[in-house]
Amino acid sequence: MRPGFTAMPVTRRKLQTTTVLAYVILIGVCFFNLLPFVFMLSTSLKTDQEAYAIPPTFWPKQATLDAYTQVIVWTNFPRYFMNSTIVSLGTALLSTVLGALAGYGFSRFNFRGRGLYMGLVLATQLLPGVLLIGPYFKLLAAVGLYNTYLGLILAFTTITLPFSAWMLKGFIDTVPEEMDHAALVDGCTPLGAFTRVVLPVIAPGMVATIVFAFLLAWGDLLWALVLTSGDDMAMVTLGLSRLVTQFRIVWPQLMAGSVIASVPCMVLYLALQNYLVKGLTAGAVKE
Amino acid sequence: MNRRLRRELSRAVRTPFGSEITGNMNQSLASKVLFRSIRLNTGFAFALPCLLLLLLVLGLPAIMAVANSFTPIWSEVKTFTLDNYTKLLQDKTFWESLQVTIIFVAYTVMLHLALGLVVALALNADIRGIWLFRIIAILPWTIPDVISGLVWRFMYDPTAGIINYFLDRLGVQNPYIEWLAHPRLALPSVILADVWRGYPFVMLILLAGLQAIPKELYEAARVDGASVLQEFRHITVPGLVRMVQVALALDVIWQFRRFGLVYNMTQGGPGNATDILPLAIYRQYFKYFNFEYASAMAVVLAAIMIVISIPYVRMMVKRT
Amino acid sequence: MKKFVFLLVVGSLLMTTAGCQAPTPAATQPPPATQAPAAPPTVAPTKAPQVVTLRVSNWHLAEKHWEKTIKDAIPIFEKENPDIKVNLEVISYAEKEAKYATEIQAGAGPDLIHLAGYSIRNFVESGYLYDITPFIQKEPVGFLDQWYPHLVELFKYQGKQYGLPSDYMAMILAYDKKLFTEAGLDPNKPPKTWDEFLDYAKKMTRDRKGSGKTDTWGFGTVGTIDPGWELRFSPVLLSHGAAYLTPDNKCSALNTPEAKEAFKFWVGLVTDAKVVPPGVTSQGAGAVRTQFANELIAMKIGSGWTAPIIPTINKDFNIQENLGAAPMPVKAGKTLAKTTTAWYSGWMITKNTKYPEQAWRLLKWLTSKESDQRWFDGARVLSSRRDVSGDPDKGIKAYQPILDDKFSQVIQAELKNAQINPQLKEWPQIADTVNKEVQNAFTGSKSADAALKDAYDQINKILAPYRKAGETCPAY
């Protein structure tokens, strides 16, 4: 650490090149990201007729909110939405909490079998869900957790937890050990050191993990398909997949549903993105 | 030294050299000893909930899945056999699928990383309205990958799709490009769709990593007169190395499991051009009901993933 | 402070999981939960009937107009059977096998399921279904004669009956009369032979809208890996006098000169004559219907679903005036017994049903004459019952509305020419193999001959379990 520095204003010229470059890249990103999105949005505003037209149109000639009405009012979409939100939020929280704890344990402590356990955590991800789903379903049914929120949360957490743990371990690794050592010396328990010193510093990492776990649970189809029964527990991805019928894909409604389905993720991200701010790392170790 | 520290240290004294050490210790050495003495139990305790959950929930299914490739566990007759594996080795389509999978993973991971890094750097800048760009940057990732597969498939349609429509409007001579129908174009088209959908994940990790680099380092470097490039090389890169490793390791494993997107775009066609292994496994399991064969395929895929990810895992396990 | 936040997070998490059971109404609880006060399932209905709930899963519920037909019909059953309540469950067509297989394996499947011919054999032979032979034996003699015998056979395995057939249709050629007229062809004289077909298709592949390039094609078909693919390719094989497999199912029959001719013809439509729109290997059945509804193609192979679906895609398409139906073209100079492919579906009781007797009553009702007639009225799908789809040999007349409907009457007439595809557990894999090789030939990755040879060899490998030691298949 450089001693005795003072914050000095940066030269104007330097500021401008990096800023301009950043803007250029970000505008490019906007185009790249948004094109399919805009297409989704415009399709969701089309009539059935126009959505299937060959040659296609980009902007709807006859915009209508019909698809949205159909999806929100005439299907059980609000219910799927609620189910997905509850399950995804539960999964995100559970896997972030457990993952952070595990990440701290793996990062700071060199206990016996540490490498093996870390490898094992990751190894659970190597087998595709297709194979695991049969036995897992039997397990859930035996314990009586089939078709419940808890059963779903546990299922999704097993998918998100290994990655959460590894991601958070990576973030925690970037925090110098001296910081929590200092806290321990000051009389904290290890858990205290963890929550008071390390967590605030990796807040951006926690945000990333929460968002990641949420989106993973939100977007999963196979487990949602098999581990729920009936309409009441169905999730958004399931509801959307039903719009791909034997005979056609009901595009406007599918796109309307997808647009609506992307909202919670954006809301979550917006709410948390304050933590993705530079400078939260105030509190460097004093030597 | 405070009371607690003394108490913990007295416990630590039971180790060899304990009495010598506690003699004249200064604060930092004391803390190091303390730390090391409690690491054995506490570390494990921290990791325990995570391990318990995973092993309890997935342990049995995983073992059953692997066992299924050696002996059909759902039927009454249980004979151990390597037949599935020998059949697999001779199956030409399996090897083609493997090749496609490796190409798919290699390209998507590289592009995820490249794009993710560039965008993360841009989003790290201190510019106005950054929150709007941040939202847009993560947008592709908020769509479930089955849906994005369908959307891109629609966009790629030769006669009904929007991409060829634009080409037609631009006056391209033959605008009916067969994005997903031509064996040479199918895999790149699928890779593009996956890059669109998947790079925000890497970007988010790298952004969080960038945010963790203390601002003071940059300011100090500027005071010393470092150029942007030098700042990048000496501050950003070392600070990001760990996160790049994490992102890389996770993304590789993640991409080997990619299923929904490709399933809805091409179903593996045309021919075997986009037939990645998870797709082949799903087909064998749920379409052909060849449960044991599918298990064998999955075990082989898992073995390959283990081999590929061992260097990353080693890197990550090492403590910095 | 941070510790407080931490505890808050954990606390809210616990609260989420505590109140975690979704408020499912009694009807949708999984079998372990109580559905009716302890009623032994197989007691004859002499006691006061306890109300039992049956879970019935059907992919048709995902399609709006079909859902209505089904939902309107169920109350009729419930009124006649006050001790049974029916719970309808929707499932998407593509995912049904995955879900059913997993659920049934775990003992939590629905009571009744509906499957399309593509995967029926898989389920029958995998032991997932309930044996209804005892119930059939209690019925009056000739009970099974109500359906076409070759369809009833499809649900038999090792002497036991596992389901009853439901829908039954033949693939026919659907064409756009307007495009015929515009190309100078007589809309009332659809092609009868494949040569005529090719000729017509070429005439209708042109620049119709003045765009400077070909914007209309004569024919459109499914090319992607899609369960409906086999329904479009098989008629070509059959009407050339070829077959997929030898009658004993031990070897592939794709090495016959007829098969080679059929394959080359089909591939030639795309590679030589170019009468098919670009990108055929990425088109599914829905995409082809969309093309047809938008007048991008003039002809397609379809069946009973075509007529109701086209107007929902393009309401300006005048079904009455412009939709034509013709029997499948044949190879000139050949007299063949079977010239087109049949599509069928069936209803089955799953093996983990807790109420087999009630399920049987529902199964009977779902496949009854009135139900199938109602189904035709609402969905334009023909039935596998003789008394609905007719049996001229036995003097049984078809349901009159079928004969009155221009489109359906062609399907009904073709039923006698329709062949069911090979019924093996390995059929999906065999169909996919041929599908992929057709794709390879379409895209030019392999020559038609090489592709067919590869298909032949791969199918022979798949059929190895059916051959005894020492039996081999001839070379290509």
Side-chain angles (χ1 to χ4, degrees):
Chain A
M1 261 335 253
R2 216 157 283 277
F5 71 90
T6 50
M8 290 197 18
V10 195
T11 64
R12 274 215 78 97
R13 212 178 319 139
K14 227 175 256 177
L15 185 63
Q16 273 186 339
T17 28
T18 48
T19 314
V20 165
L21 194 60
Y23 269 118
V24 165
I25 294 175
L26 290 175
I27 304 266
V29 165
C30 281
F31 271 108
F32 182 55
N33 283 6
L34 286 182
L35 181 64
F37 248 93
V38 170
F39 175 65
M40 279 173 64
L41 201 63
S42 87
T43 307
S44 70
L45 294 171
K46 289 183 183 166
T47 59
D48 262 5
Q49 179 95 347
E50 202 182 336
Y52 294 117
I54 302 178
T57 59
F58 192 64
W59 296 115
K61 289 206 185 85
Q62 249 189 316
T64 164
L65 285 177
D66 229 11
Y68 286 96
T69 333
Q70 295 276 340
V71 164
I72 301 177
V73 175
W74 294 107
T75 67
N76 219 354
F77 206 73
R79 173 91 207 188
Y80 305 154
F81 210 74
M82 184 186 87
N83 291 335
S84 275
T85 311
I86 293 178
V87 172
S88 304
L89 214 54
T91 307
L93 291 175
L94 184 61
S95 55
T96 308
V97 165
L98 292 186
L101 291 171
Y104 187 64
F106 287 134
S107 171
R108 295 298 192 240
F109 303 88
N110 202 1
F111 54 97
R112 208 172 15 180
R114 170 177 164 267
L116 175 66
Y117 287 124
M118 286 179 72
L120 212 61
V121 162
L122 208 55
T124 57
Q125 293 310 295
L126 297 180
L127 289 173
V130 172
L131 297 194
L132 301 172
I133 210 158
Y136 182 65
F137 183 59
K138 272 201 167 158
L139 199 72
L140 268 195
V143 186
L145 282 179
Y146 169 64
N147 220 27
T148 61
Y149 287 132
L150 183 57
L152 281 169
I153 292 178
L154 284 178
F156 286 131
T157 306
T158 58
I159 305 174
T160 59
L161 184 52
F163 290 99
S164 305
W166 272 75
M167 270 170 69
L168 287 167
K169 174 191 178 296
F171 286 119
I172 295 173
D173 279 347
T174 62
V175 178
E177 276 193 48
E178 289 78 32
M179 287 179 76
D180 28 326
H181 284 194
L184 284 171
V185 166
D186 281 348
C188 276
T189 61
L191 188 61
F194 171 60
T195 52
R196 257 177 237 164
V197 174
V198 178
L199 270 190
V201 176
I202 59 161
M206 297 279 282
V207 167
T209 313
I210 291 180
V211 172
F212 161 74
F214 184 88
L215 288 178
L216 223 69
W218 186 266
D220 184 277
L221 181 56
L222 185 64
W223 296 71
L225 170 72
V226 176
L227 299 178
T228 64
S229 160
D231 225 25
D232 283 336
M233 281 299 279
M235 313 234 304
V236 165
T237 41
L238 210 54
L240 291 178
S241 77
R242 290 188 193 144
L243 290 167
V244 182
T245 70
Q246 178 189 4
F247 300 110
R248 62 205 173 115
I249 304 178
V250 191
W251 284 114
Q253 289 181 39
L254 185 64
M255 295 296 104
S258 304
V259 168
I260 300 175
S262 63
V263 167
C265 319
M266 287 198 265
V267 166
L268 180 73
Y269 187 63
L270 253 176
L272 294 177
Q273 68 118 18
N274 284 321
Y275 291 94
L276 271 171
V277 171
K278 243 198 286 222
L280 225 61
T281 61
V285 174
K286 295 185 177 65
E287 283 175 18
Chain B
M1 272 192 266
N2 61 39
R3 215 180 315 143
R4 190 168 177 279
L5 192 55
R6 204 185 300 252
R7 193 179 357 119
E8 296 291 331
L9 268 177
S10 61
R11 233 181 277 161
V13 166
R14 277 186 234 117
T15 64
F17 308 113
S19 43
E20 276 103 278
I21 289 175
T22 48
N24 330 318
M25 259 205 276
N26 61 19
Q27 201 81 317
S28 72
L29 187 58
S31 72
K32 284 206 179 78
V33 172
L34 171 65
F35 211 66
R36 232 164 276 151
S37 75
I38 58 179
R39 82 162 69 111
L40 281 164
N41 295 327
T42 321
F44 190 65
F46 268 98
L48 196 61
C50 162
L51 292 174
L52 265 181
L53 181 65
L54 285 176
L55 292 177
L56 279 182
V57 173
L58 281 189
L60 190 62
I63 294 174
M64 287 171 88
V66 175
N68 208 13
S69 67
F70 294 107
T71 163
I73 55 178
W74 301 123
S75 73
E76 292 82 39
V77 180
K78 290 187 183 15
T79 51
F80 180 86
T81 164
L82 283 176
D83 272 354
N84 293 316
Y85 290 97
T86 46
K87 221 169 46 159
L88 201 60
L89 290 177
Q90 297 166 349
D91 189 352
K92 203 166 61 134
T93 48
F94 171 72
W95 291 108
E96 283 178 29
S97 287
L98 185 59
Q99 191 184 14
V100 172
T101 313
I102 293 183
I103 297 177
F104 177 75
V105 172
Y107 275 103
T108 48
V109 171
M110 279 195 310
L111 290 171
H112 281 173
L113 201 59
L115 205 54
L117 187 59
V118 166
V119 177
L121 286 171
L123 284 178
N124 198 34
D126 236 334
I127 61 181
R128 257 208 299 238
I130 195 75
W131 64 271
L132 181 63
F133 287 116
R134 289 225 179 105
I135 298 284
I136 293 179
I138 204 171
L139 227 43
W141 208 34
T142 64
I143 312 285
D145 72 342
V146 288
I147 307 291
S148 55
L150 289 173
V151 172
W152 276 91
R153 177 173 164 194
F154 195 14
M155 296 199 321
Y156 276 137
D157 191 294
T159 49
I162 210 76
I163 295 180
N164 284 353
Y165 170 72
F166 280 138
L167 290 178
D168 193 22
R169 291 276 289 264
L170 289 173
V172 169
Q173 194 59 1
N174 183 11
Y176 298 129
I177 302 188
E178 302 183 342
W179 297 106
L180 293 178
H182 194 280
R184 285 250 173 78
L185 286 176
L187 192 56
S189 305
V190 167
I191 289 176
L192 176 65
D194 188 82
V195 167
W196 177 84
R197 187 212 53 82
Y199 88 91
F201 168 61
V202 176
M203 179 214 73
L204 200 56
I205 297 184
L206 295 180
L207 181 60
L210 281 173
Q211 297 288 357
I213 300 176
K215 217 198 299 196
E216 295 82 20
L217 288 177
Y218 288 107
E219 292 176 356
R222 261 179 231 135
V223 166
D224 280 3
S227 74
V228 174
L229 226 55
Q230 281 175 319
E231 275 179 31
F232 185 72
R233 251 189 79 204
H234 293 124
I235 304 177
T236 314
V237 171
L240 260 193
V241 160
R242 175 58 78 170
M243 293 326 297
V244 168
Q245 288 173 349
V246 173
L248 211 62
L250 294 182
D251 205 29
V252 164
I253 293 186
W254 206 241
Q255 289 303 110
F256 264 111
R257 298 167 47 126
R258 177 71 35 226
F259 169 75
L261 183 99
V262 187
Y263 181 75
N264 276 308
M265 280 184 89
T266 61
Q267 288 271 344
N272 284 330
T274 60
D275 199 20
I276 53 177
L277 274 177
L279 218 58
I281 294 172
Y282 183 89
R283 224 177 25 235
Q284 290 286 343
Y285 200 88
F286 281 131
K287 216 180 184 190
Y288 307 160
F289 282 28
N290 286 341
F291 304 124
E292 297 81 35
Y293 194 62
S295 301
M297 276 176 117
V299 168
V300 171
L301 178 62
I304 293 173
M305 280 161 73
I306 291 178
V307 165
I308 291 188
S309 54
I310 280 186
Y312 292 115
V313 172
R314 276 234 187 89
M315 245 192 315
M316 292 291 300
V317 169
K318 254 198 309 222
R319 297 180 64 221
T320 44
Chain C
M1 218 294 268
K2 293 296 174 186
K3 200 165 194 170
F4 174 71
V5 171
F6 182 76
L7 286 173
L8 186 67
V9 159
V10 174
S12 56
L13 180 66
L14 288 172
M15 279 193 334
T16 318
T17 56
C20 68
Q21 312 281 337
T24 55
T28 52
Q29 282 191 350
T34 53
Q35 288 172 326
T42 49
V43 163
T46 49
K47 300 168 85 173
Q50 317 277 17
V51 177
V52 140
T53 307
L54 293 177
R55 288 169 55 199
V56 175
S57 180
N58 188 354
W59 82 80
H60 289 130
L61 292 163
E63 192 71 50
K64 256 309 154 46
H65 57 285
W66 294 18
E67 183 197 25
K68 184 170 180 325
T69 311
I70 298 173
K71 284 208 164 139
D72 286 344
I74 288 292
I76 303 176
F77 174 78
E78 286 180 336
K79 206 158 112 190
E80 292 171 13
N81 297 269
D83 62 325
I84 304 181
K85 185 147 178 349
V86 175
N87 215 30
L88 293 171
E89 290 180 5
V90 63
I91 181 95
S92 76
Y93 187 66
E95 269 103 36
K96 61 185 183 317
E97 285 86 7
K99 185 149 166 78
Y100 294 159
T102 319
E103 280 189 324
I104 297 174
Q105 262 182 9
D111 296 285
L112 270 85
I113 56 176
H114 194 158
L115 284 177
Y118 190 75
S119 48
I120 285 182
R121 206 62 207 163
N122 252 333
F123 274 75
V124 167
E125 294 190 19
S126 297
Y128 290 149
L129 304 174
Y130 190 87
D131 174 19
I132 55 175
T133 323
F135 289 122
I136 293 179
Q137 283 163 351
K138 292 208 197 95
E139 295 290 328
V141 172
F143 175 75
L144 286 178
D145 286 340
Q146 297 173 89
W147 294 273
Y148 298 107
H150 62 281
L151 289 174
V152 174
E153 281 305 303
L154 300 173
F155 295 84
K156 269 213 178 79
Y157 184 53
Q158 294 175 340
K160 304 202 183 108
Q161 187 77 21
Y162 286 100
L164 291 176
S166 175
D167 304 337
Y168 180 45
M169 292 196 286
M171 304 306 289
I172 58 167
L173 191 70
Y175 63 98
D176 189 331
K177 291 186 175 171
K178 187 163 85 142
L179 293 181
F180 265 53
T181 325
E182 282 180 17
L185 299 162
D186 185 347
N188 295 316
K189 289 226 177 70
K192 290 210 173 57
T193 68
W194 286 116
D195 295 321
E196 259 180 27
F197 170 86
L198 184 58
D199 189 48
Y200 281 43
K202 281 187 184 154
K203 287 209 176 85
M204 293 188 281
T205 304
R206 59 200 184 94
D207 176 5
R208 189 169 65 97
K209 301 181 209 161
S211 57
K213 50 185 185 297
T214 314
D215 54 31
T216 314
W217 286 264
F219 180 64
T221 190
V222 174
T224 191
I225 311 274
D226 183 311
W229 174 85
E230 48 151 352
L231 297 171
R232 276 85 182 169
F233 178 68
S234 310
V236 181
L237 261 191
L238 286 168
S239 57
H240 276 81
Y244 287 102
L245 310 176
T246 56
D248 57 9
N249 285 346
K250 287 191 183 168
C251 285
S252 169
L254 291 175
N255 58 344
T256 60
E258 292 85 8
K260 293 181 188 174
E261 198 185 355
F263 196 82
K264 285 208 177 75
F265 173 76
W266 187 246
V267 171
L269 291 175
V270 171
T271 54
D272 302 327
K274 297 203 197 327
V275 295
V276 176
V280 64
T281 55
S282 61
Q283 303 301 345
V288 178
R289 277 182 210 109
T290 308
Q291 289 177 339
F292 187 78
N294 281 292
E295 300 187 330
L296 202 79
I297 56 177
M299 299 188 279
K300 76 182 216 50
I301 297 178
S303 194
W305 327 282
T306 311
I309 295 280
I310 300 291
T312 66
I313 300 176
N314 179 3
K315 53 188 196 308
D316 295 332
F317 195 105
N318 191 331
I319 294 286
Q320 290 309 317
E321 281 184 18
N322 289 332
L323 183 61
M328 193 65 62
V330 293
K331 179 81 185 140
K334 276 191 159 71
T335 5
L336 297 159
K338 302 290 181 190
T339 52
T340 187
T341 311
W343 183 88
Y344 76 102
S345 73
W347 279 105
M348 295 137 265
I349 303 177
T350 60
K351 79 162 183 219
N352 53 22
T353 180
K354 286 198 150 41
Y355 309 103
E357 197 270 329
Q358 288 86 340
W360 167 246
R361 273 192 272 154
L362 182 55
L363 179 61
K364 261 202 307 182
W365 182 85
L366 284 169
T367 53
S368 67
K369 179 170 167 200
E370 295 72 31
S371 288
D372 278 3
Q373 285 177 343
R374 260 195 298 268
W375 187 231
F376 176 78
D377 292 335
R380 288 279 170 273
V381 175
L382 277 69
S383 156
S384 48
R385 293 183 64 98
R386 288 182 151 137
D387 47 17
V388 178
S389 292
D391 196 345
D393 297 337
K394 295 254 166 42
I396 305 177
K397 194 160 166 294
Y399 182 45
Q400 192 58 36
I402 297 182
L403 299 171
D404 291 339
D405 178 60
K406 277 191 300 184
F407 204 78
S408 304
Q409 110 194 157
V410 177
I411 300 176
Q412 193 266 346
E414 279 281 82
L415 282 179
K416 62 183 189 312
N417 298 329
Q419 167 93 327
I420 307 264
N421 275 329
Q423 289 299 303
L424 317 156
K425 192 164 155 298
E426 291 81 4
W427 176 246
Q429 195 171 357
I430 294 175
D432 274 2
T433 307
V434 185
N435 192 344
K436 283 201 172 189
E437 294 305 336
V438 168
Q439 283 183 336
N440 282 328
F442 275 165
T443 58
S445 306
K446 295 183 187 171
S447 73
D449 208 44
L452 191 57
K453 177 177 187 306
D454 280 346
Y456 178 76
D457 291 335
Q458 285 177 61
I459 296 178
N460 284 338
K461 255 209 214 128
I462 297 170
L463 292 175
Y466 290 88
R467 296 194 289 273
K468 295 202 263 288
E471 280 183 342
T472 52
C473 296
Y476 180 75

